[in-house]
Each structure stands twice: as C-alpha cells, then as structure tokens.
Amino acid sequence: MAPAALTCAMTAESAPAPKPLPSRIESIGASVLHGPQRLKFEMRTITQPGVGELQVAIRKTGICGSDVSYYKKFANGDLCACEPLSLGHESSGEVVAIGPAVTGFRVGDRVALEVGVACGTCELCRRGRYNLCKTLRFRSSAKTKPHYQGTLQEKINHPAIWCHKLPDHISYDAAALLEPLSVAIHAVNRASPTPGSTALVIGAGTVGLLTAAMARQSGCAEVMITDVDEGRVRYATERGFATQGYVVPRSSPQSSGCPSTSSSGTSTPADSGTATPALSIFSVPPTVHDPKAQFAPAEELAKSIMTDMRMKSTFMTEDDDGVDITFECTGKAICMQTSLYATNPGGKVIMVGMGTPIQTLPLSVAHLREIDILGIFRYANTYATGIRLISGQKYGGICQFPSLDNMITHRFKGLQNAHQAFELAGRTVDDEGQLVLKVVIEA
C-alpha cells in the first residue's frame, strides 16, 4: 500500500472504537449484469458507511474494454462471472456520507475512486506494490468471490484511503479517466524512458492513447502509434497524443486468404476484452511449423512501421533498426511478436494489454538483442500523479497534457440506459460514422 494510505490505515486501526452511525438502509438503483448481454436496472440496498469508509454518489463511469467483455460473454479472459455483477471501475463522484474514523474529508467533496482494494499488510503492499497483493479485490472483476460489485450504482461505500480528492477545475468526466491514465502512468514508470528516447505504441484505444501521451510527457522525442482504425490514429496525431501515426492494413499479401480477426466497427477483441482494438490482421495456418514462416508477418509489419517512422522522423537514420521502447497495448500475439521485431537492441518491450494468455513468441529476438520484456498489472501509486497532470491542463505550457474531457465521445444519462452505452462501447464508429473512443454513463 502507498505510504500515505498505509499510515491512514494504521491510524484507523489504533484509534479508539468509533461511535457507530445510526443504522439506516437506503434503496439505490444499480445496473446489474445477469449473463451475456442480460443487463438489468434493479434496486439494491445500501447501509451507512462503515469504519474507514466514505459513501460516494457516483457521478460518472467510463466503460472499459473489460466491462464490454463481461457484458458480451459474462467473462473477461479466463475470469467467468458466477453471480450477478455490477460493472464499472472508471469512476468519480461526490461524498455524501462519512463513516467513523475517517478524517480529511467533508460531505460534498469531489473524488476519483481507486477501485482496487489491497490488504495493506502483506510484503508486497508494504513495498508499495499493492497492485500485486494476492488478496486484492477489484470492483467489477469476477476474480474474487463474492464478486466485488462495480460502480454502475447510484451510491457505493468505499474505503476512504482509496478515494482521491479533486481540485474544483477537474471535471467528473476527466476524473473518471484517471483510472486508464493510471495504467499509462504505471507503464511508463516501468519503462523509465530517458530524454530523447523513441517509442512505439501498438493499439490506439484509450489506454494506448494515454500511454503515448505519457511517453511524450516523460521525454520521448518521437512516439509512433499504430492501429487498424484510421480514425483513432488520426485522432492520436491531431490531438497531440503521438508525434506520428501508422495505420496497419487489415489485410496484406502475407495474410492473403486469411480472414482478419478484427472487423470494422468493433473495438473489443473477440477473446480478450482488452481496452484497445486488436491488431490481429494476420493469421498463420496451424499446419505451418516453420518458425520463420510463422513470424514472418510480424517481422514484415515491424519493418514497415519502422520504415514509415524513419521517413517521418527529424533525427532517426537507417541505423535505427527499431525504437527504444515499445508499449504493446492490445494483448494479441501478433502484436507482441511485432513489438520484439520493432525494438532496438538493448531496448524494452512493455506488455500493457491483457489478451491472449498463452502466446508463441520469437524469444531469440529478445535474447540475442538483450531486449527487456516487462509486464504491468493495473497500477500503483499513480492517482496523485494523474491529478497533477490533468490539473496542469488549465495552465497550458509546452508540456501540456492532452485533454481527457475531449476523449469522451459519447455520454449516456441514467443507469437505465446502460444497455445502449455498452452496445456502442463495443464499436469504433457510431451509426453516423463518428469515432467512438470513450463512452461514459452518468448515474
């Protein structure tokens, strides 16, 4: 657990027994998933906040790719829901009640919610890597049983140490996106880029875009972003998330006759539920056993990306075989393979996207070129950084971070309309042909 949070927890544990609040049960509305695409609006009950808790009225919740996966399949990867589950974990809201032993908050405070609740006492938590806590519960995830219910409810009781107060000028919309921004911050922290580095981001969904922006913020001089969706790549370069963009063809000579697993108008991979669109444009017949033939499409794609990047770069030369850091944000095997081929000797590949759990990779490429492969799982100690970053948007400057508010392309009011929101969130364009990037539900 973060030191400040751990201190708060220890203080609460050592405090005198608090006087309990008057027992009161209130009815609230909630969007609840009962099976694949079986989303219902129903009434639940909520009690007064307990010791160390705040009661938060949820104002905005962004729909993540993992939420869409649960909505479509009642599962995310190999995590299968076994009971009704409220989705949502990208959220912000207003404090409406304060439980015993909570200090530093007032009714009316605006907060962003960090929804992964760690134990705070294990070795990993004490080292500050609470995202790896073995007993961590994460809202809207089916990993723990009973499932930890998500934020698509009118109100929730949440530990105060995982509620982050917001400055008045940060909107509830932007605050909800602090959650995917935290993933990007954690990814770049793990990468530790040096000033003037070059970076490649594969996948231009919400996390990919924010990772590209964080790479620029951290000193990367050239940041190329790739995706099969031209609209997202254009958005990334026009809004300053990346310096360059490359649209990956949905088919190529190498994959002639092989169907694409990424179809037009869908941003959620068929099997993974990751937050960024899949780049699975190539497939290899199962009868092909030649390793060179198996990985040739990825190697060719990496060469094409790097040729394009060198042509657009102001300083890269033919001697630059790849980038210093590649952020793989789709979780798909072809993209991970491409990442290894597109990275310079001595560089790093950061696995951001969670998708195909078992993959075949050309590890000799990493071995012989001393490419470090680093995984990330969610985030830790990132919310304060994210709040400072988006606070700086108000004042501008040469390092101004792109607007999070502008990333929200569609809004739905009322939990009763969650079904329509989820249907749209699983697409890359709406019925009018407009880009779908981030869909937000207002409770």
Side-chain angles (χ1 to χ4, degrees):
M1 183 180 294
L6 186 59
T7 300
C8 290
M10 293 176 66
T11 301
E13 289 173 359
S14 60
K19 183 179 180 180
L21 291 176
S23 177
R24 188 179 60 155
I25 297 178
E26 180 183 356
S27 294
I28 59 168
S31 174
V32 184
L33 187 67
H34 290 262
Q37 301 184 41
R38 290 175 54 207
L39 201 60
K40 300 179 181 180
F41 177 78
E42 56 192 42
M43 301 306 292
R44 288 180 167 178
T45 59
I46 188 172
T47 63
Q48 286 288 303
V51 176
E53 289 184 331
L54 297 175
Q55 187 168 106
V56 179
I58 303 299
R59 299 305 183 208
K60 300 292 179 72
T61 296
I63 299 179
C64 172
S66 63
D67 293 323
V68 175
S69 180
Y70 278 117
Y71 169 74
K72 289 184 174 181
K73 300 177 293 184
F74 210 42
N76 181 34
D78 56 1
L79 296 178
C80 299
C82 58
E83 59 191 50
L85 178 64
S86 280
L87 299 174
H89 56 265
E90 302 177 358
S91 295
S92 59
E94 179 184 347
V95 176
V96 293
I98 300 174
V102 174
T103 60
F105 288 93
R106 296 182 300 177
V107 170
D109 280 344
R110 303 163 66 253
V111 295
L113 299 174
E114 186 171 354
V115 299
V117 178
C119 75
T121 59
C122 70
E123 179 63 23
L124 287 166
C125 284
R126 290 181 180 278
R127 284 164 45 195
R129 303 191 73 173
Y130 58 83
N131 57 313
L132 305 179
C133 174
K134 292 181 180 180
T135 61
L136 182 138
R137 296 181 302 147
F138 195 86
R139 288 191 182 274
S140 76
S141 171
K143 185 176 182 179
T144 56
K145 298 177 180 61
H147 302 333
Y148 198 21
Q149 298 296 304
T151 55
L152 285 178
Q153 307 179 75
E154 291 176 339
K155 296 178 183 179
I156 63 171
N157 292 331
H158 198 66
I161 59 174
W162 303 114
C163 297
H164 303 271
K165 287 203 290 189
L166 299 168
D168 290 340
H169 63 273
I170 294 181
S171 69
Y172 283 125
D173 284 338
L177 292 193
L178 280 167
E179 201 277 341
L181 176 59
S182 285
V183 176
I185 294 170
H186 188 55
V188 174
N189 285 345
R190 292 274 283 157
S192 300
T194 57
S197 297
T198 55
L200 169 66
V201 178
I202 299 181
T206 301
V207 170
L209 288 168
L210 293 171
T211 300
M214 279 305 306
R216 293 194 67 188
Q217 190 79 15
S218 299
C220 290
E222 299 270 10
V223 178
M224 166 75 84
I225 195 165
T226 69
D227 201 289
V228 293
D229 189 88
E230 182 179 359
R232 293 192 173 198
V233 173
R234 187 186 310 114
Y235 179 93
T237 54
E238 290 179 353
R239 300 299 180 99
F241 289 87
T243 59
Q244 304 174 18
Y246 180 88
V247 180
V248 180
R250 294 181 183 271
S251 61
S252 73
Q254 291 92 339
S255 61
S256 179
C258 299
S260 166
T261 59
S262 177
S263 60
S264 177
T266 178
S267 64
T268 302
D271 297 321
S272 69
T274 53
T276 51
L279 301 186
S280 308
I281 59 169
F282 307 115
S283 60
V284 179
T287 55
V288 175
H289 298 291
D290 180 3
K292 290 185 178 180
Q294 181 178 2
F295 299 126
E299 187 173 11
E300 288 302 310
L301 177 57
K303 288 180 180 178
S304 297
I305 292 171
M306 291 313 306
T307 297
D308 190 74
M309 188 171 185
R310 284 193 297 267
M311 289 176 58
K312 296 173 180 176
S313 174
T314 57
F315 63 85
M316 294 179 70
T317 68
E318 292 297 324
D319 293 332
D320 291 300
D321 294 330
V323 294
D324 299 314
I325 305 169
T326 300
F327 297 93
E328 202 297 291
C329 297
T330 72
K332 306 302 288 186
I334 180 65
C335 301
M336 188 63 193
Q337 295 162 8
T338 302
S339 298
L340 293 173
Y341 286 113
T343 305
N344 263 331
K348 299 176 183 177
V349 171
I350 313 299
M351 298 187 296
V352 183
M354 294 183 65
T356 310
I358 299 175
Q359 302 182 14
T360 302
L361 303 174
L363 285 180
S364 62
V365 176
H367 189 181
L368 299 177
R369 299 165 73 199
E370 292 194 355
I371 295 173
D372 296 338
I373 302 174
L374 300 175
I376 74 156
F377 183 65
R378 296 185 181 133
Y379 42 80
N381 308 300
T382 53
Y383 267 72
T385 300
I387 289 171
R388 288 194 295 268
L389 278 171
I390 59 178
S391 290
Q393 293 173 344
K394 179 180 179 182
Y395 305 103
I398 59 173
C399 295
Q400 184 176 8
F401 201 77
S403 170
L404 269 63
D405 291 274
N406 291 340
M407 295 182 70
I408 299 169
T409 55
H410 296 79
R411 295 173 173 84
F412 289 81
K413 187 173 179 61
L415 296 175
Q416 299 91 332
N417 295 314
H419 174 78
Q420 295 95 308
F422 275 93
E423 287 293 326
L424 183 60
R427 302 167 57 184
T428 58
V429 293
D430 62 18
D431 291 338
E432 286 71 46
Q434 299 300 309
L435 177 70
V436 176
L437 187 58
K438 176 57 69 175
V439 177
V440 163
I441 298 173
E442 181 179 352

